Amino acid sequence: MSVPIKVVVVYHSGYGHTLKIAEAVARGAAAADGASVTLLTADEAPRRWGVLDGADAIIMGAPTYMGSLSAQFKAFMDATSNLQYVEKRWAGKVAAGFTNGASRGGDKQNSLVQLMTFAAQHQMHWVNLGMNYGNNRSYTNEDILNRDSYTLGMAGQADMDQSADVAPPLSDLRTAEFLGRRVAEVAQELSAGRAALGRPTSRGVSGGADNQDPEGRGVLASAGNKAATGRVTA
């Protein structure tokens, strides 16, 4: 059964290595029957908000510099606070993430946590890598999937003295393809489930926390009352 969905892969790449991973993620997502995929750089994304707002899944990635996501990608994240976050335009969408660094560890986990937190702020559904740890047996080697053993998302490794023509290795790109396809399939499952239940995709509650308290127990009766009493009234 083919379920049509839209996937956007938005990324920043400083030297071309993360671009290769982003392209592999996009290939994996496109392999799911019914999925259409758009690849966007973090720089061009603010000029194409409609593409992101209309997606069923957004997969995000950037290199890890100094223990966190690159400044260029963080600028994209901050830009979403103007409309996407305030109006909860991405609530209910599927999200996932990837990163790349020169070192095996290199604090890349921090970048994946940063992406996952960002998705949670937008009230998105985070999809993890869905793989066991990789090269941790005496009979396994560097060609195995998830060779550096991450679970929150995909983390690649490219030697800093190698160009994007040869790094990251094929095993990392295959892992990225796995993530892309997994996210697309989860998005299809969610879309089909909503259709079966008759539950259309809806945005979250926009504005502040006061708008999401249906009983009004945690909200002052009026701003004037707050100014007059300085306390919450029943």
Side-chain angles (χ1 to χ4, degrees):
M1 177 181 177
S2 176
V3 178
I5 58 160
K6 297 177 181 179
V7 179
V8 175
V9 180
V10 56
Y11 72 96
H12 168 252
S13 182
Y15 301 95
H17 304 100
T18 310
L19 167 60
K20 287 185 67 175
I21 293 176
E23 292 173 336
V25 170
R27 285 196 302 272
D33 188 21
S36 61
V37 184
T38 302
L39 199 62
L40 289 178
T41 66
D43 289 337
E44 66 181 322
R47 300 190 297 273
R48 303 188 65 186
W49 285 134
V51 175
L52 287 152
D53 295 347
D56 298 286
I58 301 175
I59 309 175
M60 303 167 284
T64 295
Y65 295 155
M66 302 304 294
S68 64
L69 296 169
S70 62
Q72 292 89 334
F73 195 85
K74 184 60 168 62
F76 154 74
M77 293 167 66
D78 291 347
T80 67
S81 65
N82 295 323
L83 284 177
Q84 281 66 33
Y85 173 76
V86 171
E87 297 183 0
K88 296 298 180 286
R89 293 187 177 186
W90 297 354
K93 297 183 187 298
V94 171
F98 59 92
T99 189
N100 181 75
S103 299
R104 282 303 182 95
D107 298 318
K108 287 179 284 190
Q109 182 81 345
N110 289 345
S111 294
L112 294 176
V113 170
Q114 192 175 7
L115 289 171
M116 183 175 63
T117 302
F118 175 72
Q121 290 174 330
H122 281 277
Q123 299 176 11
M124 304 173 79
H125 302 300
W126 183 260
V127 176
N128 58 48
L129 180 59
M131 278 191 171
N132 295 325
Y133 294 141
N135 189 12
N136 61 359
R137 300 285 200 280
S138 61
Y139 52 83
T140 58
N141 59 50
E142 289 296 282
D143 291 329
I144 201 166
L145 297 183
N146 196 23
R147 65 190 178 107
D148 285 343
S149 301
Y150 286 83
T151 55
L152 285 183
M154 185 273 161
Q157 183 268 327
D159 291 339
M160 66 175 60
D161 59 345
Q162 290 185 319
S163 72
D165 294 333
V166 295
L170 181 58
S171 55
D172 287 359
L173 301 182
R174 289 166 56 221
T175 304
E177 290 178 358
F178 180 93
L179 174 66
R181 179 152 191 162
R182 171 174 164 82
V183 172
E185 290 177 346
V186 169
Q188 288 177 323
E189 292 164 4
L190 185 58
S191 179
R194 284 172 175 155
L197 293 170
R199 297 178 183 174
T201 304
S202 59
R203 293 179 181 173
V205 178
S206 60
D210 51 311
N211 291 335
Q212 64 188 32
D213 189 349
E215 296 180 349
R217 297 191 180 198
V219 182
L220 293 172
S222 69
N225 183 60
K226 177 180 180 181
T229 64
R231 60 185 177 85
V232 174
T233 58

